[in-house]
Amino acid sequence: MTERPRVSARISAISESATLAVDAKAKAMKAEGRPVIGFGAGEPDFPTPDYIVDAAVEAAREPRFHRYTPAGGLPELKKAIAEKTARDSGYQVEPSQILVTNGGKQAIYEAFAAMLDPGDEVIVVAPYWTTYPESIKLAGGVPVYVTTDETTGYLASVEQLEAARTERTKVLVFVSPNNPTGAIYPREQVRAIGQWALEKGLWVLTDEIYQHLVYGDAEFSSIPVEVPELADRTVIVSGVAKTYAMTGWRVGWIIGPKDVVKAAGNLQSHATSNVANVSQAAALAAVSGDLSAVDAMRASFDRRRKTIVRMLNEIDGVLCPEPQGAFYAYPSVKGVLGKEIRGRRPGTSAELAELILEEAEVAVVPGEAFGTPGYVRMSYALGDEDLVEGVSRVQKLLAEAK
């Protein structure tokens, strides 16, 4: 009798999240007593603001939250998300166009599952967040990559997108501010890409989770606001994790056409039912409140952003464009690869990241995880002292390259 595989081919093909894997390894080394500084996970180092925590404590005492609630989200939270979207983006939606999910990752997978049939192609701009391709493939779609680099500020042009389009293309993934690069598309370029998608009959999935983490003169602009005619084929995914330092609370959402949101909601009703009610109550307090706590965090991120870019650019062979949003630096390390460092000669950014972790006790994520070898991602969502110490260790190690 032929033995059949123990794990399905569909699930076996999924790669572990590289960012979480790096973070786990760094934490394991810390547990062993090693002074590891982690630049891996995209997680603010601030606690969740007190008023949000207080709302969760109060909700935990409410008997109605001890029971099932609507699978698609608390009505009062969906209403608040609609009001927040109008306030912060200028985009008018109804609560029936919103699905509350267990974090942004569930939002992304369920959106793709609702939109894609087997073989449908999805254009993904690289560098990309590691979860997009895996969610696309799990939903039966085929990711098609458009690669950008530091010479264009990691921005894709309409011409590049058109070159990747085929008769099978259904969706464009559009992310601004971007993870891992921190790049932000100028308003006119957002409008041009949206107009192109409209003319070609494409859908757009736009990830707006870093909407409020924008620095300097850069501006956030939402693609269905810039091209209103595209709204009926646009799905927005977002959540409270990054803006409000709530990564562990696991609350995200989908905003889109009612038929797609209903289909994704049907899937969620069988997969997980409602998001934890205490977390939803916390999210309600977050999106209903002002942005003063967010402003304070953003000011710290901005200071750290300037520091990490300056320090990385002081390293021979490293080139780090200044990120305009999110909380990541994405330097090119191509000028270091192939050089000897402490008896080793790393030929890839993955090998270099491993060497940096072992020799400098600093955790970074290699560009291979984001579809562009030759780079590393470093989150600057960590304390100022740790940031300076961590980059100083990298400076000292790479100064030995010869």
Side-chain angles (χ1 to χ4, degrees):
M1 180 176 176
T2 303
E3 185 175 353
R4 305 183 73 176
R6 293 168 60 87
V7 178
S8 72
R10 184 180 72 258
I11 301 303
S12 295
I14 298 173
S15 301
E16 179 185 14
S17 167
T19 52
L20 294 183
V22 168
D23 189 52
K25 186 171 183 179
K27 287 176 178 175
M29 291 174 67
K30 277 186 178 181
E32 295 171 357
R34 297 180 65 177
V36 174
I37 295 176
F39 290 83
E43 181 170 52
D45 61 312
F46 301 101
T48 302
D50 288 343
Y51 72 95
I52 298 173
V53 176
D54 291 343
V57 172
E58 184 178 338
R61 295 194 176 101
E62 285 196 44
R64 75 184 180 102
F65 288 147
H66 302 171
R67 306 286 185 263
Y68 291 126
T69 53
L74 293 172
E76 57 266 43
L77 176 55
K78 292 168 70 172
K79 180 175 182 291
I81 292 170
E83 291 170 350
K84 172 219 175 302
T85 303
R87 178 193 72 208
D88 295 347
S89 304
Y91 186 40
Q92 302 289 336
V93 296
E94 300 173 16
S96 57
Q97 293 177 258
I98 296 168
L99 173 67
V100 180
T101 63
N102 290 277
K105 287 185 178 180
Q106 186 177 35
I108 289 165
Y109 168 67
E110 289 182 346
F112 283 133
M115 288 190 288
L116 299 177
D117 284 313
D120 284 343
E121 293 180 355
V122 180
I123 295 176
V124 181
V125 177
Y128 49 72
W129 183 42
T130 58
T131 292
Y132 301 133
E134 303 301 337
S135 294
I136 292 165
K137 290 183 281 188
L138 192 58
V142 179
V144 176
Y145 304 113
V146 170
T147 302
T148 63
D149 61 27
E150 66 276 17
T151 63
T152 62
Y154 301 113
L155 302 179
S157 66
V158 169
E159 290 74 21
Q160 285 178 292
L161 299 176
E162 174 60 21
R165 186 179 65 87
T166 73
E167 61 180 15
R168 305 261 351 185
T169 305
K170 184 172 184 180
V171 182
L172 165 69
V173 176
F174 184 77
V175 189
S176 177
N178 180 272
N179 172 9
T181 66
I184 295 178
Y185 284 82
R187 190 178 301 275
E188 61 273 14
Q189 200 165 350
V190 174
R191 193 174 298 131
I193 289 172
Q195 193 63 42
W196 167 80
L198 177 68
E199 292 171 359
K200 302 304 178 183
L202 303 182
W203 285 73
V204 174
L205 182 141
T206 180
D207 188 339
E208 297 186 351
I209 201 162
Y210 294 99
Q211 170 183 6
H212 292 292
L213 297 178
V214 175
Y215 313 107
D217 296 329
E219 291 183 304
F220 166 80
S221 50
S222 184
I223 201 164
V225 174
E226 297 304 317
V227 185
E229 303 91 337
L230 189 61
D232 191 51
R233 290 203 304 274
T234 298
V235 174
I236 296 171
V237 293
S238 192
V240 296
K242 314 297 183 177
T243 301
Y244 304 97
M246 294 178 68
T247 52
W249 296 82
R250 309 313 303 141
V251 182
W253 56 79
I254 295 171
I255 301 174
K258 292 180 181 179
D259 54 345
V260 172
V261 169
K262 185 178 187 303
N266 290 343
L267 169 59
Q268 183 164 302
S269 72
H270 292 288
T272 60
S273 297
N274 62 278
V275 174
N277 294 316
V278 170
S279 289
Q280 289 196 73
L284 174 60
V287 300
S288 300
D290 64 29
L291 294 170
S292 55
V294 179
D295 290 340
M297 287 189 276
R298 182 172 57 240
S300 294
F301 290 143
D302 192 14
R303 182 180 64 250
R304 298 167 185 176
R305 172 182 75 106
K306 294 171 182 174
T307 299
I308 196 170
V309 169
R310 173 181 55 78
M311 293 183 71
L312 288 171
N313 280 324
E314 290 171 354
I315 304 172
D316 286 342
V318 174
L319 175 62
C320 184
E322 185 173 77
Q324 295 180 304
F327 39 61
Y328 308 104
Y330 199 68
S332 166
V333 293
K334 297 172 188 173
V336 179
L337 299 181
K339 294 185 177 180
E340 184 178 332
I341 306 170
R342 297 193 183 175
R344 296 163 65 175
R345 200 177 290 275
T348 66
S349 46
E351 292 174 357
L352 180 64
E354 183 178 2
L355 185 145
I356 290 172
L357 181 57
E358 293 174 0
E359 296 292 334
E361 297 180 317
V362 171
V364 302
V365 186
E368 283 84 350
F370 309 105
T372 52
Y375 302 79
V376 297
R377 191 192 79 171
M378 299 178 70
S379 168
Y380 48 87
L382 72 168
D384 294 69
E385 290 184 7
D386 279 349
L387 186 148
V388 172
E389 170 63 20
V391 182
S392 295
R393 291 183 195 176
V394 175
Q395 286 180 326
K396 184 177 178 182
L397 176 66
L398 298 187
E400 299 178 21
K402 54 187 178 180

